Amino acid sequence: MDASMVGVRLASGALTPLIKKLFRTDGDGAGLVTEPVRLSAYVSWREKRSLDAADLDRLATRLVARALAAPGERPLPEGEEAGVATALAVTLHALGDLTLTDAQAVAMGPAAFAAALRAQAPDPGLSQDAALFHERLLQTACLHILNFFTQRSTFVRAALVDQSRRLAEVAAALEDVRERLPRQDARDLAFETDYRAYLARRYGTLTIYGLDLEPGSERWPLDTAYVGLEVTALSSGDPAAPPAPDLPALWERAVLPSARASRDPRRGRVMLRGEAGSGKTTLIQYLAVTAARSLDALVPFVLPLRTLTRRGDRLPTPRDLLAAAGSALAGSQPEGWESRVLRAGRALMLVDGIDEIPEAERPGARAWLADLITAFPDNAWLVTSRPSAVRTDWLSTERFTEATLAPMNRDHVRTFIDRWHDAAVTGDPRRDAALPDLRDALRQSVRSKPELARLATSPLLCGLICALHRERHGFLPSGRKELYTAALSMLLHRRDRERQVRAPELGEEPQLQLLQRLAHWLIRNGRTELARDRAEELIAAALPAVPEAARVLGGAPAVHRHFLERTGLLRAPTEDTVEFVHRTFQDFLGARAALDEGSTGELALHADDDQWEDVIRMAVAQGRPRERAEIMRALLDRGTTRSTLLAVACLEYAAELDPALREEATRAAAGLWPPADAAQAERLGAAAGALVLDLLPDPARTDDERTAHLAVLTAAATTAEEAVAYLSGYTAHPSAKVRTVLAEFWPLFDAGRYAHEVVKRLDPPPEHLTLMSDDMLAELPLFDRPPQLRVRGNVSAAALSAFVRRCPVEDLDLSGLPRVDMLELRRSPTLRKLALRVWPALEHYQGLDALTGLTGLPVEEVALTLAGPQRLGPVLRTWARLRTLRLAGRADWAFTDLPHERLEMLDLNSAPASLSGLGVQQELGLLALGEHWRPSDPSDWDELSRLERLEYLFVHVDVLPALADHARLPALRELWYYSDHFVEPALGEVLAARFPRATVRVVDW
């Protein structure tokens, strides 16, 4: 760099000798044996004192003289030379006061180094021309001073050592980053695309039980078949935490990239409980397929525990997940792909069937889950189980939300019946012509016959009821035993005959005898899946006792193949394994085998084993009176809470039982009241059914909140229509908690009756109501003050649009609406608060104007969670009364689209890149810009500084330094930042000085 570049033309040969006099000489070496040497150690007047103040003045005078003697126009008026020389001497004297090393000084450059010298020296008080000449001369001197430093042997060698050290640190840091960041290379992306497509195909269909369709056509598209069931959050693993959302939050976390900024584990960890056949596995399929269809969503891993543990093997490590789950793509993934997905927090872990592995193996499964969660904490998890398989707090230390999958309500059943009959269309005009009449007749039967409605509580049972109703031309079994017996008959014998399939005919009883041997072995060994060779061994051992099967079909392999291919009762999840198509059939046949062997004592011994509960119920249903009595006697004598509950539950299945024994069971149930907690109350109601209603206290005499709460929980858990009259007795209870849960039970019962007898009579009226169906919407009573309406996925957009035009609605919370192109709310003149949270349909919606139905609403508070990039700006401009906006997800809008200048809060997951137009919001008190916002232009700081009433600000930690330099926020009280770490103390001091009234806090992710 030439000296002329800083404004003073001086030859290096003239200046360098003078500069050298400022510093003493040093010996060779890199200076590694002592602390870094400060500049003060170099200057002559500090150590050797070869220069005193007079010498420094003379040196400065010579520098000024040589600069004035250089060719060109004189830069300084006559008579000011001495003042500049004195000022330069004083400034150079500050070299001894700097606490810099020579390396640090060189890194600063001449301009910054000159500024550091001026800061240490007093103001020279020069004229404008003299000050300018002084500055140019000082920078020229600093340029030569820095050049002198670079020529020192200690500097050169120390710099080389420091450079080597820094290069090593950078290399180590880069290696660490390479190891920690997910490798999203082309191979990973290509495999992930194939894997998602494979999952969508593998789990995109369901088996239709009992449909006599052509071979291979009994698969039902999941999008058509899936009936969203009610899922209720029970509790959080953290006792101090507020109630957390469950599956909607998990779904949001799974498919919305914007939702993953929240690192609250409760938003991504759900323990879901449900009875056999209640739809847990179907729900896992739905989540897997939904996530698989979008490259932006989490990567699903479907992990059926019965498959992972079928041979007693150790549960898989991340690299073995695909192979253990039986994926056809196992082995084709890039090395380490699973671990990279898990480390990045991009996995949706769907662990199905804790109850389907032996109880002795469950602690190991829990340890496996805990270890994976500890190693990869940022992923989403859904674990399923039957209700009694593991205790309520089984995963509480891992901060799972406990949730339960409720039985199908009447609206679910009606929807299922409609879809089943739509799928049953075969193209045969003669057969299909009867379907509409059969559908209508079955809907009427379910509505008018309580005993049939009690059976239709799960997708499995609904499918069997639909199939048997069609096969028997409208006549249905009256109980669960008869239903299963008829279903087995249909699947084993009559199905092929009516379809005129040419196959060897084998009677029902020989097939049942062989199948129940397999079922009994599985139950005794705590399994739901067994190896193919083991199945053939069991069949071969039983064939001598069933000679008809051997005569008609042949040996064990042929019988095994017949069960797989012709009956529809067995299936092969892999080439070398076999299982029943549903656990319910296994339990029913296992109970039959236990009765045939006279093993009633063995059944009672397993009363406390959750895997045997349905087996015992089915044994009571199928047993002769003596056998029923033996089982009931043994259960009551065992005397545990679980065995007593099971005995009470078995009363429903005992068609004939000694009256004294029935009375004893009823008294034993009375001893279970009051239950210890809410969970036990729900188990009591579910187990005892309508029988428990006679044990509950009189609502008119139950003022105590705890007793009343347990009573209504127990009654509601029965889901019996008789419970509605009992629950109506609590509608004016003084406890708000009791009245609130009464409103929440509405989806469990007939919409019209419950609305008329319970919801309408709540006094005072409910503050909020959750609507799960069009029927509930149609039956909603009119209140003096409309409650907040929480509308969930089974409500159609058309019904909702019609409702808000007809009835006053002030507060509307929408989640999971099935359609986007029919939503029309613009004609609602009373709507003030709107929340549109989880909207799956937007993920696959091709247009950008799905929000146009919200145009012109008189809303004041809006919360939107959008799954796709929607055009929000035109809609936003029409919300003239808007004061609060919360927005998560992708949307096309700008701050200039905000409708007026009276907004009070903007909570944004991701703000627009430019803040242009924000400054007019003079009333704004809270602003969250999201973790991704960074300033796009210096004018952003001007816009932000115009918010003179802003009290709460949320930005990323990377924004804080520039915020402190450029923003002026006089009213700021709390400054929140997104980061995994706290700010450095030095930055904290700067922020405290800039915003003295504000508290700086980290956002707790």
Side-chain angles (χ1 to χ4, degrees):
M1 181 176 180
D2 189 81
S4 62
M5 295 184 65
V6 291
V8 175
R9 299 178 61 188
L10 280 174
S12 295
L15 194 56
T16 298
L18 299 178
I19 294 299
K20 285 186 176 181
K21 290 187 177 183
L22 296 172
F23 303 95
R24 63 182 180 86
T25 59
D26 265 332
D28 293 339
L32 300 182
V33 296
T34 62
E35 293 293 320
V37 181
R38 302 290 182 183
L39 293 183
S40 58
Y42 293 153
V43 296
S44 297
W45 57 90
R46 284 278 177 164
E47 296 294 336
K48 297 184 178 180
R49 299 202 177 270
S50 56
L51 291 179
D52 55 17
D55 294 328
L56 196 56
D57 288 337
R58 286 192 292 273
L59 182 60
T61 300
R62 293 173 61 187
L63 286 173
V64 171
R66 293 195 178 187
L68 292 175
E73 182 179 352
R74 179 180 174 87
L76 190 67
E78 294 289 340
E80 294 194 22
E81 300 88 344
V84 171
T86 301
L88 182 60
V90 171
T91 305
L92 291 176
H93 192 274
L95 282 167
D97 299 321
L98 291 180
T99 58
L100 296 170
T101 66
D102 50 5
Q104 292 170 333
V106 171
M108 293 174 67
F113 186 58
L117 286 175
R118 285 197 313 275
Q120 291 290 332
D123 186 1
L126 300 175
S127 67
Q128 182 175 355
D129 289 340
L132 180 60
F133 179 71
H134 171 266
E135 175 65 22
R136 291 176 177 175
L137 184 57
L138 177 63
Q139 287 198 33
T140 302
C142 287
L143 176 67
H144 285 266
I145 290 171
L146 298 183
N147 183 64
F148 171 79
F149 287 162
T150 64
Q151 295 172 347
R152 294 174 55 82
S153 60
T154 54
F155 171 87
V156 175
R157 296 178 184 179
L160 289 174
V161 172
D162 184 66
Q163 185 180 48
S164 299
R165 185 184 298 114
R166 288 177 178 271
L167 286 174
E169 291 173 353
V170 169
L174 289 175
E175 180 65 18
D176 182 59
V177 169
R178 190 188 70 80
E179 287 294 327
R180 290 166 54 188
L181 289 180
R183 262 178 48 202
Q184 293 298 326
D185 57 20
R187 293 185 304 124
D188 276 10
L189 182 59
F191 173 78
E192 191 170 307
T193 302
D194 293 342
Y195 176 69
R196 289 179 183 275
Y198 163 74
L199 287 181
R201 292 191 301 269
R202 179 176 179 180
Y203 296 109
T205 57
L206 295 175
T207 299
I208 312 173
Y209 293 105
L211 279 187
D212 298 340
L213 304 178
E214 292 300 317
S217 62
E218 68 276 5
R219 303 296 291 174
W220 209 0
L222 182 64
D223 290 339
T224 302
Y226 181 71
V227 177
L229 303 180
E230 180 189 1
V231 178
T232 304
L234 297 180
S235 63
S236 169
D238 182 358
D246 42 86
L247 283 182
L250 178 70
W251 191 95
E252 179 183 341
R253 176 83 174 272
V255 302
L256 301 184
S258 60
R260 288 169 220 151
S262 172
R263 300 187 183 180
D264 182 353
R266 292 185 302 274
R267 292 190 61 81
R269 300 178 188 174
V270 177
M271 176 71 179
L272 178 66
R273 301 173 188 268
E275 297 291 348
S278 61
K280 300 186 297 296
T281 300
T282 303
L283 177 60
I284 277 186
Q285 286 188 230
Y286 180 75
L287 283 169
V289 170
T290 303
R293 285 174 173 168
S294 172
L295 285 174
D296 290 335
L298 294 182
V299 180
F301 291 90
V302 181
L303 304 172
L305 282 175
R306 62 182 177 275
T307 299
L308 304 187
T309 64
R310 61 174 174 259
R311 294 189 179 89
D313 298 337
R314 292 182 59 188
L315 288 162
T317 59
R319 66 179 180 180
D320 301 321
L321 288 177
L322 296 189
S327 172
L329 297 182
S332 62
Q333 70 271 32
E335 180 67 26
W337 172 76
E338 299 94 335
S339 294
R340 289 192 291 277
V341 171
L342 287 164
R343 279 201 303 269
R346 297 177 55 243
L348 173 60
M349 307 295 285
L350 303 169
V351 183
D352 191 22
I354 291 293
D355 57 292
E356 295 184 353
I357 61 175
E359 187 172 3
E361 294 181 10
R362 292 173 194 169
R366 194 205 174 286
W368 170 73
L369 285 170
D371 188 53
L372 281 176
I373 292 170
T374 300
F376 309 107
D378 294 332
N379 299 286
W381 292 80
L382 175 65
V383 181
T384 71
S385 173
R386 290 193 190 186
S388 58
V390 291
R391 64 183 186 272
T392 304
D393 61 348
W394 199 65
L395 287 174
S396 62
T397 57
E398 310 307 325
R399 303 186 71 189
F400 271 66
T401 294
E402 282 277 345
T404 181
L405 192 57
M408 296 176 72
N409 60 36
R410 291 178 182 269
D411 186 66
H412 296 143
V413 173
R414 185 173 59 253
T415 301
F416 188 98
I417 291 172
D418 291 345
R419 292 180 179 179
W420 192 97
H421 285 82
D422 289 341
V425 175
T426 63
D428 183 342
R430 181 181 59 83
R431 300 183 68 191
D432 295 343
L435 284 174
D437 292 339
L438 287 171
R439 179 196 62 204
D440 294 342
L442 182 55
R443 290 177 62 173
Q444 176 61 29
S445 295
V446 171
R447 185 164 53 247
S448 61
K449 297 180 180 179
E451 68 278 4
L452 185 58
R454 284 197 293 270
L455 284 176
T457 57
S458 71
L460 171 68
L461 293 174
C462 280
L464 293 178
I465 288 171
C466 290
L468 289 168
H469 185 263
R470 193 190 70 164
E471 181 186 312
R472 296 185 170 198
H473 308 290
F475 296 96
L476 281 170
S478 58
R480 189 160 298 192
K481 171 196 170 184
E482 291 77 13
L483 178 66
Y484 290 145
T485 302
L488 288 170
S489 175
M490 176 182 64
L491 294 173
L492 289 176
H493 182 60
R494 301 181 63 175
R495 191 165 178 256
D496 277 351
R497 177 185 295 177
E498 294 192 0
R499 291 166 58 189
Q500 298 181 348
V501 174
R502 291 187 177 182
E505 287 195 15
L506 182 63
E508 291 179 30
E509 188 59 31
Q511 295 183 79
L512 290 174
Q513 288 291 329
L514 295 173
L515 286 167
Q516 70 187 36
R517 301 290 182 93
L518 299 180
H520 204 203
W521 185 93
L522 287 167
I523 292 167
R524 280 176 163 170
N525 288 274
R527 300 288 178 186
T528 58
E529 194 175 279
L530 73 162
R532 177 173 180 166
D533 54 0
R534 184 58 179 150
E536 293 182 356
E537 288 176 7
L538 292 170
I539 294 171
L543 276 178
V546 192
E548 182 183 350
R551 177 178 55 80
V552 174
L553 298 176
V559 174
H560 177 261
R561 186 165 55 253
H562 169 80
F563 287 149
L564 285 175
E565 296 176 357
R566 305 276 16 115
T567 68
L569 271 173
L570 292 184
R571 65 184 175 192
T574 65
E575 290 185 0
D576 60 346
T577 59
V578 63
E579 65 183 7
F580 283 88
V581 292
H582 200 278
R583 175 72 177 272
T584 297
F585 293 124
Q586 175 183 311
D587 292 344
F588 186 84
L589 290 170
R592 194 175 189 268
L595 292 171
D596 284 353
E597 294 183 5
S599 303
T600 55
E602 179 188 21
L603 291 173
L605 288 174
H606 289 89
D608 292 328
D609 186 340
D610 64 276
Q611 289 192 319
W612 286 72
E613 284 186 6
D614 282 349
V615 180
I616 295 171
R617 290 191 184 101
M618 293 296 102
V620 171
Q622 298 178 78
R624 294 182 291 270
R626 179 182 56 81
E627 293 166 333
R628 292 190 192 116
E630 289 177 357
I631 297 172
M632 294 291 291
R633 176 81 272 150
L635 291 174
L636 293 172
D637 288 347
R638 191 170 182 84
T640 66
T641 299
R642 183 176 245 171
S643 68
T644 303
L645 279 172
L646 188 53
V648 173
C650 286
L651 291 176
E652 177 186 354
Y653 297 84
E656 181 182 345
L657 188 66
D658 178 19
L661 193 57
R662 186 181 294 272
E663 177 63 25
E664 183 180 348
T666 303
R667 289 197 305 271
L672 299 176
W673 180 264
D677 52 31
Q680 189 172 332
E682 292 174 348
R683 286 197 296 270
L684 176 61
L691 293 171
V692 80
L693 296 176
D694 294 334
L695 307 177
L696 300 182
D698 183 355
R701 301 178 181 178
T702 311
D703 293 332
D704 175 62
E705 179 182 78
R706 182 178 184 277
T707 302
H709 184 239
L710 293 175
V712 297
L713 287 178
T714 305
T718 69
T719 66
E721 286 302 313
E722 299 91 324
V724 176
Y726 179 80
L727 293 171
S728 67
Y730 288 93
T731 54
H733 195 275
S735 169
K737 179 179 181 181
V738 172
R739 298 193 307 275
T740 297
V741 296
L742 285 177
E744 293 173 354
F745 294 148
W746 190 4
L748 301 180
F749 300 94
D750 177 73
R753 181 182 177 187
Y754 199 87
H756 180 73
E757 297 186 24
V758 179
V759 178
K760 185 177 181 179
R761 296 172 55 189
L762 287 171
D763 183 21
E767 294 183 0
H768 56 79
L769 285 172
T770 299
L771 304 179
M772 305 291 293
S773 69
D774 287 358
D775 279 354
M776 294 176 67
L777 199 63
E779 299 289 347
L780 181 67
L782 293 180
F783 298 98
D784 292 338
R785 178 176 176 80
Q788 180 200 41
L789 298 184
R790 300 172 179 173
V791 181
R792 298 303 179 246
N794 289 321
V795 176
S796 69
L800 177 63
S801 300
F803 175 81
V804 297
R805 290 196 298 269
R806 184 177 72 252
C807 302
V809 178
E810 294 183 0
D811 192 339
L812 195 57
D813 185 332
L814 309 178
S815 177
L817 293 185
R819 296 288 300 274
V820 296
D821 52 346
M822 296 175 61
L823 183 62
E824 181 65 54
L825 301 180
R826 71 177 77 197
R827 298 182 184 177
S828 175
T830 58
L831 192 61
R832 296 294 179 265
K833 297 181 181 180
L834 174 65
L836 187 59
R837 301 188 184 280
V838 183
W839 205 355
L842 279 182
E843 184 70 16
H844 309 295
Y845 188 67
Q846 299 302 315
L848 293 176
D849 294 319
L851 302 179
T852 55
L854 309 180
T855 302
L857 291 175
V859 287
E860 298 174 3
E861 300 180 19
V862 176
L864 300 177
T865 300
L866 303 178
Q870 296 298 314
R871 189 177 291 116
L872 178 61
V875 179
L876 193 59
R877 288 193 290 271
T878 68
W879 292 343
R881 300 183 181 181
L882 188 67
R883 303 188 72 84
T884 295
L885 176 64
R886 300 178 185 271
L887 178 61
R890 293 168 291 170
D892 181 12
W893 70 287
F895 287 106
T896 52
D897 294 321
L898 294 173
H900 56 70
E901 302 174 6
R902 296 191 303 275
L903 262 71
E904 298 172 358
M905 184 180 77
L906 282 174
D907 186 353
L908 309 174
N909 175 266
S910 183
S914 172
L915 300 188
S916 177
L918 175 63
V920 300
Q921 302 297 334
Q922 294 295 304
E923 302 294 323
L924 201 63
L926 185 149
L927 174 63
L929 292 172
E931 65 163 330
H932 302 295
W933 181 83
R934 303 293 186 275
S936 61
D937 188 87
S939 62
D940 287 344
W941 301 118
D942 295 333
E943 295 285 346
L944 195 61
S945 297
R946 294 175 64 188
L947 305 177
E948 296 186 355
R949 298 187 181 182
L950 188 68
E951 297 183 358
Y952 304 92
L953 177 64
F954 294 71
V955 294
H956 192 271
V957 67
D958 292 347
V959 177
L960 295 182
L963 180 75
D965 288 342
H966 303 293
R968 187 187 67 83
L969 299 169
L972 193 65
R973 294 174 54 189
E974 294 184 10
L975 174 59
W976 293 81
Y977 63 92
Y978 305 97
S979 175
D980 289 331
H981 308 287
F982 294 102
V983 299
E984 296 294 332
L987 178 56
E989 293 176 2
V990 174
L991 293 170
R994 183 66 170 178
F995 310 111
R997 299 177 56 190
T999 302
V1000 181
R1001 299 177 177 177
V1002 63
V1003 177
D1004 185 7
W1005 279 347

